[in-house]
Amino acid sequence: MPSSPCLKLTLLVLSLLVFAGGAMALDVWRIDASGAERLSLLALLGCSLLLAWLIGRLFPGAPPADVRPRRGDDTADMARAVEHFLRERERIEADRAELRIVKEQLAEQNMRMRHMAHHDALTGLPNRALLDDRLKQAIAHAQRHRSRLTVAFIDLDNFKLINDSLGHDAGDALLKAVAQRMQACVRGSDTVARLGGDEFVLVLCDQPEQPQLVAGTLGQIRDAIAQAVPFGERLLRVTCSMGLATYPADGADGATLMMHADVAMYRAKALGRNNFQFYYAGTASMARTSS
């Protein structure tokens, strides 16, 4: 109900007077009074209570605050919550993508490190460590299947002369070409490894018993190595000497086969280079075999 400031002030003053009168009436009630006086006091007290009730109705005061969010606030809060959720989801997806990239990079790095640990840096061929493992596996395969394998020790003839006269770049180009050509002459089950410098080793699995049949593959490798290698305006040429040892006739383990193949290779060099020699156990000399 609307009211002016003056009316509010007037009612407030009357309220104070009535309450003051009520207080006085209570004090008078305590002393001896006649019946008429007590009725008057009761009437005055009733009027004060009635006036207090009217003031409460006219000026109820501020309503209690509505603590419940309005519908508009609910919608805004929901929109903010959804926006926050979407941002968090995008951040999590970005973190997952970054983590996948890091994992892939680590996996590639580990693969490169493993490859470097077991392969020659220049030619990409297996190094000595991987050769030893491949040779053990080949011997185990030959034992299970009662087959033969051949280890060929290969040394390039006069490679040092090319390396010293034309430089290391020419020597590296020649080594890489020779490695690729030897790989092209063998099967996927065979192994071509580089020990270092101009020394290579072949592990030829499931070889026939007749040496003449093995000689065909070795002759193919020798001819491939002897082909010219272009280097700038020059053509590089090199030959090779090969020594061969066969499992199980020339050794039952990798170290023995490698040693006997190395002996046979030096015999090939002593007999004029550019040929291959088989190792024969128990004989004082080796027969020269070429094609």
Side-chain angles (χ1 to χ4, degrees):
M1 176 179 178
S3 60
S4 63
C6 293
L7 179 59
K8 290 182 181 180
L9 181 59
T10 301
L11 291 175
L12 180 59
V13 172
L14 289 175
S15 175
L16 291 174
L17 291 175
V18 170
F19 281 117
M24 291 174 63
L26 291 175
D27 290 337
V28 173
W29 188 271
R30 292 190 185 93
I31 62 176
D32 294 336
S34 62
E37 289 175 344
R38 291 190 177 188
L39 289 175
S40 299
L41 292 174
L42 289 174
L44 179 60
L45 183 59
C47 290
S48 65
L49 293 175
L50 179 61
L51 183 58
W53 179 78
L54 289 174
I55 292 174
R57 296 289 295 178
L58 292 173
F59 307 101
D66 190 0
V67 297
R68 294 175 300 174
R70 294 172 295 178
R71 186 174 301 275
D73 294 336
D74 289 343
T75 304
D77 291 342
M78 182 61 71
R80 286 192 293 269
V82 171
E83 182 180 359
H84 175 73
F85 170 76
L86 293 177
R87 286 199 304 268
E88 286 298 310
R89 188 176 67 176
E90 291 177 357
R91 182 185 63 80
I92 293 173
E93 290 297 329
D95 291 343
R96 288 178 177 175
E98 184 176 357
L99 181 60
R100 284 195 296 269
I101 294 174
V102 171
K103 287 183 177 179
E104 291 174 357
Q105 292 175 347
L106 288 176
E108 292 177 359
Q109 184 177 1
N110 290 335
M111 290 180 61
R112 287 196 298 268
M113 292 179 64
R114 287 197 298 268
H115 187 273
M116 291 174 61
H118 295 92
H119 292 79
D120 175 59
L122 177 63
T123 62
L125 295 177
N127 59 14
R128 185 183 293 271
L130 185 55
L131 171 64
D132 291 341
D133 181 70
R134 295 275 183 89
L135 188 51
K136 289 179 182 178
Q137 294 182 21
I139 292 174
H141 173 81
Q143 288 175 342
R144 288 193 303 269
H145 298 277
R146 299 182 180 275
S147 60
R148 295 160 54 92
L149 69 87
T150 299
V151 175
F153 202 108
I154 301 175
D155 186 88
L156 303 183
D157 300 325
N158 298 320
F159 174 78
K160 188 176 183 301
L161 178 62
I162 296 176
N163 207 38
D164 293 343
S165 61
L166 299 179
H168 292 288
D169 290 342
D172 290 347
L174 182 60
L175 290 173
K176 288 190 287 187
V178 168
Q180 293 173 357
R181 291 174 182 179
M182 284 192 292
Q183 283 183 303
C185 293
V186 300
R187 301 163 300 177
S189 59
D190 301 327
T191 297
V192 181
R194 184 190 178 205
L195 299 184
D198 58 349
E199 294 180 340
F200 298 86
V201 172
L202 304 181
V203 179
L204 308 176
C205 300
D206 298 319
Q207 294 299 297
E209 295 184 4
Q210 296 80 8
Q212 295 78 10
L213 299 178
V214 181
T217 301
L218 299 176
Q220 183 181 1
I221 293 173
R222 186 190 63 180
D223 294 342
I225 292 175
Q227 293 179 7
V229 176
F231 180 74
E233 297 180 354
R234 296 176 178 271
L235 292 176
L236 307 179
R237 298 182 184 275
V238 69
T239 58
C240 68
S241 298
M242 293 184 282
L244 299 98
T246 302
Y247 172 87
D250 301 328
D253 58 86
T256 303
L257 291 171
M258 289 281 292
M259 180 180 64
H260 289 168
D262 187 41
V263 171
M265 184 271 296
Y266 277 103
R267 177 64 175 171
K269 281 189 176 293
L271 293 175
R273 298 184 174 88
N274 194 26
N275 69 91
F276 52 86
Q277 293 291 320
F278 287 93
Y279 178 85
Y280 291 101
T283 60
S285 61
M286 297 177 213
R288 181 176 182 273
T289 306
S290 62
S291 59

